[in-house]
Amino acid sequence: MRSTTAIAALAALLTLAWLVPAEAGASVGVNLRVLNTEGKALAQLRQYTDTVQIKTDPDADCFGTGSGGSGKTVTVNGPTALGVVVDGEATQRAIRPVSVTDAFGFGLGICGFGGYKSDSNHFWYLKVNHVESSVGGDQVKLSGGDDVIWYLIRQDSCPPPDYFCEISDLQLTAPARARANSLVPVHVDAYSRTGQRTSAQGAEVDGGTAPVFTDSGGNAMVRLGAGGPAQLFATRGRDIPSQYVSVCVADDLASCPQHHGMTIAGSDGPDQINGTPGPDKVKARGGDDRINVRGGGPDTVKCGGGRDVVKADRSDKIARNCEKVRRPKHKKGKSGK
């Protein structure tokens, strides 16, 4: 059953975190986006996450009530939609701090990400795999490859009596590379509260030489400039903006990767991180990590604490703090050289 805006706001605020530790499980890689009301992306990456601990914020101010937390550290058994943001703040400065409170007596309240707070007219809205969540973020268990969106929504986006107004999230598809001064095709989909996908007519696509608008099939042609990567994104009214899509622009397409890459961040525990076919930027963090970026690239990998093993191509840049690096051996020719 679809929730109202008021119910979604309450669920986002009153996320319950059990105050008992759990056995650590395997971390999972989750595609995380965090956006403020203006659509600014505070985070866009693949984040590995599992059970997390978070200190409640004595200075938290949810909905202007001055509801500061006790300062106690609590455990959120994961992987969860709240825990992935807690793990993400270690590398994503824009979402620091993650502010939560236990002042309500029956669970944690999400008060703010990156200084953007829940107040009398805003709340942090959650979608997982494009479906609106009707429960708190800590209660949403995640699997590898899930898509998580946290969006600071204005409650008056759906003013009374239209409490059930539709706010979709947009997804942009664009090529990974293009020649300078060329037109490239893009497509925009819109996902409803229940996850139903439709082509997004009338979406504005920016990042090219001029804004363009999609037709009834969600398609448009974007003109790109001369050289340098283009950062394309789509917006439409009160809908949640799309992800940023980077397009490599060059005179010689051979100098650009064939596939999109990602920013990938590990957790503090042991992770098994796999790269994508494109050029990835990996920061593994703590734990004895196993990282495989072969077949993509060129990739960059930075390791953290623990003893890490990296499988890499010869073109990949691997930091010195990665303890063991395994690259393909050179094949010997017929002469044996």
Side-chain angles (χ1 to χ4, degrees):
M1 180 176 180
R2 196 162 68 175
S3 65
T4 65
T5 301
I7 293 174
L10 183 61
L13 174 68
L14 303 177
T15 58
L16 179 62
W18 304 109
L19 307 184
V20 293
E23 294 181 2
S27 66
V28 299
V30 176
N31 302 318
L32 172 66
R33 288 203 295 138
V34 182
L35 304 92
N36 68 8
T37 309
E38 288 71 38
K40 177 183 177 182
L42 307 182
Q44 178 179 308
L45 76 160
R46 178 169 295 168
Q47 176 66 55
Y48 280 76
T49 187
D50 194 8
T51 294
V52 300
Q53 291 188 324
I54 182 171
K55 184 177 180 180
T56 57
D57 182 5
D59 298 320
D61 186 17
C62 290
F63 289 87
T65 61
S67 48
S70 67
K72 294 180 180 179
T73 298
V74 297
T75 299
V76 180
N77 297 330
T80 67
L82 174 59
V84 69
V85 185
V86 176
D87 269 322
E89 70 172 335
T91 60
Q92 306 300 299
R93 294 180 180 272
I95 60 176
R96 301 176 190 169
V98 175
S99 175
V100 299
T101 181
D102 55 357
F104 297 107
F106 42 79
L108 292 180
I110 297 177
C111 298
F113 298 147
Y116 295 94
K117 299 179 180 180
S118 300
D119 58 27
S120 59
N121 194 38
H122 298 82
F123 66 92
W124 281 100
Y125 175 70
L126 172 63
K127 295 188 82 175
V128 178
N129 295 327
H130 306 290
V131 177
E132 177 187 83
S133 176
S134 60
V135 298
D138 70 303
Q139 299 177 54
V140 180
K141 301 300 181 182
L142 301 177
S143 300
D146 282 350
D147 294 308
V148 174
I149 297 175
W150 284 98
Y151 177 54
L152 186 62
I153 196 171
R154 291 179 61 94
Q155 293 194 62
D156 60 11
S157 295
C158 296
D162 189 19
Y163 290 112
F164 289 96
C165 72
E166 186 63 60
I167 298 178
S168 299
D169 68 276
L170 304 181
Q171 185 170 33
L172 173 66
T173 302
R177 58 184 182 175
R179 286 189 171 88
N181 301 305
S182 66
L183 285 168
V184 299
V186 299
H187 179 79
V188 182
D189 285 316
Y191 290 85
S192 70
R193 290 174 180 262
T194 58
Q196 181 179 1
R197 183 180 70 178
T198 57
S199 296
Q201 180 179 5
E204 179 178 328
V205 181
D206 291 280
T209 58
V212 298
F213 293 87
T214 56
D215 60 19
S216 59
N219 301 308
M221 298 295 292
V222 177
R223 181 171 293 281
L224 302 180
Q231 300 292 331
L232 305 183
F233 64 99
T235 58
R236 187 180 66 173
R238 61 191 173 199
D239 289 335
I240 301 173
S242 77
Q243 82 283 22
Y244 283 83
V245 178
S246 181
V247 181
C248 178
V249 181
D251 292 324
D252 181 10
L253 287 185
S255 64
C256 290
Q258 298 183 45
H259 303 281
H260 296 291
M262 296 191 74
T263 297
I264 304 175
S267 69
D268 271 338
D271 302 310
Q272 293 195 10
I273 297 174
N274 293 313
T276 74
D280 300 316
K281 296 180 179 179
V282 180
K283 187 169 185 179
R285 295 179 59 210
D288 296 337
D289 301 311
R290 300 295 180 265
I291 305 161
N292 187 351
V293 290
R294 286 186 183 175
D299 307 295
T300 60
V301 178
K302 295 181 179 180
C303 297
R307 298 191 59 81
D308 304 314
V309 178
V310 181
K311 292 183 178 180
D313 296 316
R314 302 199 68 83
S315 61
D316 295 331
K317 296 181 179 180
I318 312 301
R320 293 182 178 181
N321 62 352
C322 299
E323 284 76 15
K324 182 177 290 186
V325 181
R326 297 173 177 171
R327 300 182 190 266
K329 296 180 179 179
H330 284 297
K331 293 183 179 180
K332 294 182 179 180
K334 292 183 180 180
S335 63
K337 297 181 179 180

